[in-house]
């Protein structure tokens, strides 16, 4: 039966290459760039490309209401209760839930999944380690008691922060029996799960071929929300925006996710198509590796802030698909700073470079993905930096190559992207303002570590903010941390994405929110 299903799906994929081939009524076909799709393991994956797929394959401990993203609603947990001192939360796991394998979903599976996230120590583990959980203590801090999952902390945490963090992909509940049956050499099933799924989400995996397509189908036993209205979802890898537009216009795909301003403008008048604007929390930034002596000078940090044409990038280069955002936390997320203190000012930048002893400028490489908007932003920076004597050597490469180089700290400058893993500002703050150890073998490999920015004092303030249970005081602390990241760090935050998703007129309820993995396929319809 499984092979027969794959044959049907493969035939559907092949048939989409024909002229004006309408997609099947029960199938949603999405065209997008998934070249950076590296893993299907929810306790490992940390890339935007895989986010929506994982969101639909797995049931998380708690989740966002698909029709009102501001609300946290039950996921695998039907209810929860926090202790008065903020040091413990008890989740009651729903009865009757089943994984796609047929195995029952239990509190032990939920505990295993959180512990696994910490023990694997992959990049998203930072989300869980912020609660003081480590490989040494997670077995005691995260445990199952009957149908309850009990999570405890050495210090207090606001319940809003805990719930928001546990709505992230790393809190996806995996089938512990199936995963451990496929474990090798103590890897907790990681090698196996990278190319497979073991969830209880609205959809189950049929097939994933890297840089080709992801195919998922509705799971009849889904009990985490309304039953899927679309039987099958096919995400096709289409790297070029022009090709996505052509496929959409021909009816070969239902949704085009990566159109540039030219393509969006070109389809605006076509009655059979429409564009939905999704307010993403995706922020694009420039990072300066502190291993480079020139880039380690605070005056250079300040200078480059005045060498970015923020308005030109947002309103001329991309014509409204991006908006200026000069702080790490995106607009639309609680605690975001609205101020925009910087603009292109070459004279001011030159004065700061002279103060740094670099009046004659210098040459430095900048890495960027061979995709929009990274390439275009890097080219804009090359032009404006050159006006101040900084010659940028552009190194444009495939997304997976750039990501690997960044994770291995083999860059000078890099144009990169941050998208929050959950809706609380701590998701972003933790990624940029925490680093007490620049060694290679550490678990915390966030942006500060990747750029060798050693900040023990700022890390202590980040830690203090995370333990603040008073909501208004916590937001005040996060505001202070954001100002440091904005004004006195090796990061330059430039623009935030306003994502235009183009689709056929008959596609209904296709949506998204500030996190990069917030499109719920199970509520999408084709009418």
């Amino acid at each position: 039966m499984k092979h027969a299903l794959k044959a049907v799906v493969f035939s559907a994929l092949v048939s989409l290459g024909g002229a004006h081939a309408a997609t099947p009524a029960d199938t949603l076909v999405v065209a997008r760039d998934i070249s950076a799709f590296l893993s299907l393991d929810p306790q490992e994956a940390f890339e935007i490309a895989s986010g929506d797929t994982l969101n639909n394959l797995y049931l998380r401990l708690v989740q966002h209401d698909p029709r009102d993203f501001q609300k946290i609603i039950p996921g695998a947990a039907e209810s929860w209760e926090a202790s008065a001192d903020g040091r413990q939360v008890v989740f009651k796991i729903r009865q009757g839930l089943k994984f796609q394998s047929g195995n029952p979903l239990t509190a032990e599976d939920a505990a295993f999944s959180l512990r696994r996230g910490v023990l694997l120590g992959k990049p998203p583990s930072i989300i869980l380690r912020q609660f003081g959980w480590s490989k040494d203590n997670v077995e005691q801090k995260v445990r199952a008691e009957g149908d309850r999952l009990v999570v405890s902390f050495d210090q207090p945490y606001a319940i809003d922060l805990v719930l928001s963090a546990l709505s992230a992909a790393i809190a996806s509940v995996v089938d512990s029996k199936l995963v451990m049956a496929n474990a090798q050499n103590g890897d907790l099933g990681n090698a196996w799960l990278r190319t497979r799924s073991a969830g209880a989400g609205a959809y189950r995996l049929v097939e994933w071929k890297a840089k080709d397509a992801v195919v998922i189908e509705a799971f009849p036993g889904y009990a985490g929300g309304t039953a899927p209205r679309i039987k099958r979802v096919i995400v096709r890898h289409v790297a070029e925006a022009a090709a996505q537009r052509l496929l959409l216009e021909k009816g070969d795909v239902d949704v085009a996710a990566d159109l540039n301003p030219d393509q969006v403008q070109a389809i605006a008048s076509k009655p059979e198509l429409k564009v939905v604007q999704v307010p993403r929390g995706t922020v694009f930034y420039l990072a300066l590796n502190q291993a480079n002596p020139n880039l380690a000078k605070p005056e250079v940090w300040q200078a480059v802030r005045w060498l970015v044409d923020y308005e030109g990038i947002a309103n001329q280069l991309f014509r409204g698909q991006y908006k200026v955002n000069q702080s790490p936390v995106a607009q639309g997320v609680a605690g975001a700073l609205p101020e925009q203190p910087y603009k292109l000012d070459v004279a001011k930048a030159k004065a700061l470079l002279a103060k740094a002893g670099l009046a004659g400028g210098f040459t430095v490489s900048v890495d960027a993905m061979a995709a929009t908007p990274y390439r275009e932003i890097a080219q804009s920076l090359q032009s404006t930096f050159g006006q101040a004597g900084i010659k940028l050597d552009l190194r444009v490469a495939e997304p997976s190559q750039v990501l690997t180089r960044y994770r291995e700290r083999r860059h000078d400058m890099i144009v990169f992207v941050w998208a929050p893993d959950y809706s609380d500002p701590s998701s972003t703050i933790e990624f940029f303002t925490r680093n007490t150890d620049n060694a290679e073998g550490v678990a915390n490999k966030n942006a500060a570590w990747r750029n060798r920015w050693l900040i023990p004092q700022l890390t202590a303030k980040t830690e203090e903010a995370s333990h603040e249970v008073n909501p208004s005081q916590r937001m005040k602390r996060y505001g202070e941390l954001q100002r440091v990241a904005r004004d006195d760090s090796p990061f330059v935050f430039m623009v935030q994405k306003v994502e235009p998703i183009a689709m056929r007129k008959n596609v209904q309820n296709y949506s998204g929110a500030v996190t990069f993995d917030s499109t719920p396929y199970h509520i999408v319809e084709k009418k």
Side-chain angles (χ1 to χ4, degrees), residues 164 176 356 382:
S164 186
S176 61
Q382 186 180 45

Side-chain angles (χ1 to χ4, degrees), residues 118 287 373 382 402 507:
V118 174
Q382 186 180 45
V402 175
V507 176

Side-chain angles (χ1 to χ4, degrees), residues 259-315:
L259 299 190
N260 63 34
D262 290 334
Q263 275 79 47
V264 172
Q265 186 175 14
I267 68 171
S269 61
K270 296 184 179 296
E272 71 276 16
L273 304 177
K274 63 181 179 180
V275 176
V276 174
Q277 299 287 346
V278 177
R280 296 295 191 193
T282 308
V283 173
F284 293 84
Y285 65 94
L286 177 69
L288 284 60
N289 193 335
Q290 300 303 280
N292 183 309
N294 287 338
L295 304 183
K297 298 181 178 184
E299 296 87 357
V300 173
W301 302 353
Q302 298 300 321
V304 297
R305 284 174 166 77
W306 298 102
L307 289 176
V308 178
D309 186 5
Y310 303 94
E311 292 292 340
I313 292 172
N315 300 319

Side-chain angles (χ1 to χ4, degrees), residues 1-10 204-207 217-218 220 231-232:
M1 182 68 178
K2 183 177 180 182
H3 294 294
L5 176 61
K6 285 190 176 183
V8 169
V9 172
F10 181 76
R204 59 187 175 191
L205 181 69
V206 175
E207 193 163 13
E217 67 164 3
K231 180 180 179 181
R232 185 175 295 116

